[in-house]
Amino acid sequence: MTISISGTGISRGIAIGSVHRLEKGEVDACQTAIPEHLIEDEIARFRQAINTARQQLKSIRNRIPATTPADITDFIDTHLLMLEDSLLTATPIELIREHQCNAEWALKIQRDALARVFDEMDDAYLRTRVDDVDHVVKRIHRILVGQTCEEPEDGDLQECIVFAHDLTPAEAALLHHQGVAGFVTESGGPLSHTAILARSLGMPAIVGTHGIPYQIRDGETVILDGAEGLLLAGVDNMTLAKYRARQQQQQQRACNLKRLTNEPAVTIDGVPIQLLANVELQEDVEAARIAGADGVGLYRTEFLFMNRSDIPGEEEQLQQYLDILNALQGLPITIRTLDLGADKNVSSHASGERISPNPALGLRAVRLCLKHKELFRPQLRAILRASASGPVRMMIPMLSSARELDEVLELLAVVKQELNQDGLAFNENMPVGGMIEIPAAALTADLFARKLDFLSIGTNDLIQYTLAIDRTDDAVTYLYDPLHPAVLRLIKLIISAGRANGVPVAMCGEMAGDPRYTRLLLGMGLEDFSVQPTSLLEVKDMIKRSDIASIKATVDRILQQDDPAAILPLMATIGATPAA
Ligand code: PEP
Ligand code: MG
């Protein structure tokens, strides 16, 4: 019998593979009395579980290619180190003896005691390391209760479709490195950073399925259709053949688009469009070059800070920027300053912050950086120093007021002075731009345009904040609408403010990479697009088949509509669909 599950398709493409459930749920550690004569057996069981946990982690570590960035591997190393620590290996044994209890319970008591110690620490960063303790404890608990198949032993995750309750961006990156074909999560929204990463990695994925039936067993072959947000299990051979044929067609289409790689992105009526790439991980840079990007329009530096137990210092950041600059072989790069917070793992990095009651509206991005200059200053120094070696631009996220921008520019001036005093080279005229992604900034875009060298529209957050929909909450995904008149008017306002002040305006939100919106944006006057490397050629194809002069009148009509329902039929008349 075929089982079909629907969710939000967040990354297009068809994946066919065998199921691998990542989470087996929490282990309910109950206390059981162990008779005295069996205590040594219980201790042996615990020791064995620790050994198995080590083997599992080492096996994952060994399967990750050597080229994998350190940020992906560091957290595995941290967990391995914890498995050598007597607090997790020896103390539970003492507790088994002392309480004459089972290993699961002893481990739970020790976990709770450690959590209390972490909780009392002054250093908020160290306080958050309890997350790592929890990961390791969970792993040992699962082994103790017999859930040993969390990671396949030898055969890696090649061609697997991973099922999970939720995935962090870092976990998604790791799965990609392990060869996973696609993933399905019960929660999550289309604009979460996990979703963005999945698109960037070209991994078909579905989120927000609200449960995954247990009738679908590990190892069973399933079909994941990322465009339709559909997962099919228990399919017959005919269905399987149909989807394999579709998968081939998509691969063929991607192959055909490659012919555009070295062609300029120019519209039919001769308007040259700049097509840049968004990158998160080092490997995206290669993908951007292969896709023929004109440079990098958004480098999300926060990914360098994730999945690790320390904060990268100035030298490490500089080296990373130089590596990317090198890989770009002379193409420009726009380095965005840290946008930690909200769904980007702030818990492990915010220096001293309590957990925000509403992280998307809390101390995120430039707000966090201005509050914690010890985090910001090394990054500003590293970006400036990188600018001595190539075409580097700096971009500030989440600006909400001109005062905030002034504060950044003042700090930048101080950092420049310090670098001069230290005798370190940098480009005195490094262009500085800002992301316009908060309605307040969009409405006052002219203020920012007067003080900055370029603007870039972050539609992911602009839509989130304009429509008051948490981008990670699948319960409000249905309200996510790039065509909402309020969103369109704000975008138009930003483009016009840039024009009026002679400042280029780019768009680096996901809307820029969706070919359904390319003509609309061209008609609104957008000439700089920064998109995922995986959608770059689709967007280029649309640009090359567009005649701005002939769509302009319809786009103006779209912008005048108050009723969102009236916009879709007008969109259809500008042929806003990618070529089949
Ligand atoms: C955006 O908000 O559109 C954007 C590009 O930034 P991020 O998705 O990293 O918040
Ligand atoms: Mg943003």
Side-chain angles (χ1 to χ4, degrees):
M1 187 189 68
T2 302
I3 303 175
S4 81
I5 305 170
S6 299
T8 309
I10 53 155
S11 179
R12 286 179 292 160
I14 291 169
I16 300 172
S18 54
V19 171
H20 178 75
R21 275 183 199 268
L22 204 58
E23 283 159 316
K24 316 258 183 223
E26 292 287 324
V27 171
D28 196 8
C30 300
Q31 182 172 13
T32 309
I34 303 290
E36 202 166 349
H37 69 282
L38 292 179
I39 289 289
E40 289 311 313
D41 290 351
E42 190 62 11
I43 290 171
R45 192 168 76 88
F46 177 71
R47 287 205 172 107
Q48 183 55 42
I50 295 277
N51 277 338
T52 308
R54 278 193 201 114
Q55 280 160 17
Q56 283 183 352
L57 282 175
K58 281 184 186 156
S59 146
I60 298 176
R61 185 76 173 80
N62 291 340
R63 285 202 306 272
I64 298 178
T67 49
T68 304
D71 50 351
I72 309 284
T73 51
D74 275 358
F75 85 107
I76 297 178
D77 292 337
T78 308
H79 292 187
L80 271 167
L81 272 177
M82 282 185 171
L83 283 171
E84 301 303 328
D85 195 314
S86 64
L87 286 171
L88 277 183
T89 56
T91 312
I93 293 177
E94 288 163 22
L95 292 168
I96 293 174
R97 288 209 169 95
E98 186 185 331
H99 297 278
Q100 302 213 326
C101 66
N102 53 327
E104 290 88 339
W105 186 249
L107 188 60
K108 180 184 165 0
I109 302 177
Q110 176 61 355
R111 182 261 164 221
D112 293 348
L114 286 173
R116 280 194 298 277
V117 175
F118 275 101
D119 231 25
E120 281 159 18
M121 284 180 177
D122 285 339
D123 184 324
Y125 171 68
L126 282 178
R127 259 197 328 258
T128 61
R129 302 320 301 159
V130 77
D131 292 349
D132 286 311
V133 175
D134 275 341
H135 271 113
V136 175
V137 166
K138 215 156 135 187
R139 178 176 295 279
I140 306 170
H141 265 148
R142 284 183 182 153
I143 295 166
L144 283 168
V145 299
Q147 294 179 355
T148 48
C149 53
E150 191 182 351
E151 287 87 23
E153 280 300 310
D154 281 310
D156 50 27
L157 290 173
Q158 286 292 339
E159 300 309 317
C160 274
I161 309 263
V162 161
F163 287 6
H165 174 66
D166 201 3
L167 290 173
T168 62
E171 285 165 338
L174 181 60
L175 290 177
H176 176 69
H177 281 283
Q178 291 174 297
V180 163
F183 66 80
V184 181
T185 63
E186 294 174 311
S187 58
L191 289 177
S192 70
H193 286 90
T194 300
I196 291 173
L197 194 73
R199 282 192 284 280
S200 146
L201 296 170
M203 264 173 118
I206 306 172
V207 299
T209 58
H210 299 277
I212 302 170
Y214 267 82
Q215 294 94 312
I216 308 180
R217 292 179 312 277
D218 262 30
E220 184 176 340
T221 298
V222 290
I223 298 169
L224 190 166
D225 184 339
E228 296 298 321
L230 192 67
L231 182 95
L232 298 173
V235 288
D236 55 32
N237 285 344
M238 245 173 67
T239 313
L240 210 54
K242 189 178 89 183
Y243 274 92
R244 283 203 202 284
R246 249 196 241 170
Q247 202 180 27
Q248 263 181 3
Q249 272 170 10
Q250 287 175 355
Q251 283 159 359
Q252 188 58 47
R253 161 103 183 119
C255 228
N256 290 345
L257 281 173
K258 284 195 184 137
R259 74 189 191 287
L260 300 179
T261 306
N262 297 317
E263 290 192 18
V266 179
T267 62
I268 294 172
D269 46 344
V271 180
I273 302 297
Q274 177 154 245
L275 249 183
L276 301 157
N278 293 351
V279 305
E280 279 98 41
L281 307 172
Q282 171 100 32
E283 69 209 53
D284 297 333
V285 180
E286 187 55 14
R289 257 185 12 88
I290 291 172
D294 295 323
V296 168
L298 166 63
Y299 168 39
R300 289 183 167 98
T301 55
E302 49 280 3
F303 279 80
L304 183 62
F305 286 64
M306 290 182 189
N307 272 342
R308 54 189 292 162
S309 51
D310 59 345
I311 290 177
E314 176 182 331
E315 295 303 327
E316 185 182 341
Q317 291 185 57
L318 172 64
Q319 196 49 54
Q320 173 75 8
Y321 305 154
L322 291 179
D323 287 349
I324 295 188
L325 210 49
N326 251 338
L328 282 169
Q329 301 176 2
L331 295 175
I333 179 168
T334 311
I335 304 180
R336 180 174 74 177
T337 59
L338 269 177
D339 185 6
L340 281 179
D343 60 332
K344 278 180 283 191
N345 230 8
V346 74
S347 63
S348 11
H349 297 290
S351 350
E353 289 314 318
R354 64 187 167 71
I355 300 294
S356 167
N358 193 338
L361 300 180
L363 265 189
R364 187 191 149 183
V366 71
R367 302 170 180 185
L368 186 81
C369 287
L370 285 173
K371 178 123 194 272
H372 294 287
K373 304 223 170 59
E374 74 285 359
L375 199 64
F376 202 17
R377 210 178 262 267
Q379 179 169 50
L380 294 181
R381 284 176 63 97
I383 295 174
L384 275 166
R385 287 175 65 191
S387 74
S389 303
V392 170
R393 313 195 301 171
M394 183 180 108
M395 183 160 78
I396 310 153
M398 281 276 291
L399 287 166
S400 61
S401 73
R403 213 160 52 102
E404 208 170 33
L405 172 59
D406 288 343
E407 220 187 309
V408 177
L409 296 178
E410 279 160 25
L411 182 62
L412 194 66
V414 172
V415 168
K416 283 182 177 178
Q417 268 177 13
E418 287 170 2
L419 289 178
N420 274 329
Q421 280 159 11
D422 296 345
L424 294 168
F426 62 92
N427 172 12
E428 181 65 55
N429 300 314
M430 176 186 74
V432 178
M435 286 194 65
I436 306 296
E437 48 185 347
I438 294 180
L443 290 165
T444 54
D446 53 330
L447 301 181
F448 295 96
R450 273 181 237 137
K451 294 174 188 232
L452 288 165
D453 299 309
F454 65 94
L455 304 179
S456 189
I457 308 173
T459 49
N460 308 338
D461 279 314
L462 188 62
I463 295 170
Q464 155 166 265
Y465 296 126
T466 304
L467 304 182
I469 48 168
D470 184 334
R471 58 196 270 191
T472 64
D473 185 351
D474 54 296
V476 287
T477 295
Y478 75 103
L479 290 170
Y480 167 76
D481 182 12
L483 297 177
H484 191 293
V487 174
L488 296 184
R489 287 180 201 183
L490 288 176
I491 293 174
K492 181 68 190 159
L493 206 62
I494 305 166
I495 296 173
S496 303
R499 279 256 162 97
N501 289 280
V503 166
V505 176
M507 179 181 284
C508 61
E510 295 295 288
M511 191 176 175
D514 189 330
R516 286 173 303 175
Y517 306 126
T518 307
R519 288 191 175 156
L520 173 69
L521 296 171
L522 289 171
M524 288 166 86
L526 190 76
E527 293 182 356
D528 291 353
F529 291 63
S530 190
V531 309
Q532 307 271 0
T534 44
S535 31
L536 196 135
L537 291 175
E538 286 279 8
V539 174
K540 190 189 269 190
D541 180 44
M542 186 56 99
I543 291 169
K544 291 177 75 67
R545 294 187 294 109
S546 298
D547 181 40
I548 299 180
S550 70
I551 55 180
K552 187 93 183 50
T554 313
V555 170
D556 287 346
R557 275 185 66 206
I558 290 174
L559 290 173
Q560 281 154 20
Q561 297 301 317
D562 297 326
D563 178 8
I567 291 179
L568 268 183
L570 285 170
M571 284 290 288
T573 66
I574 54 173
T577 45

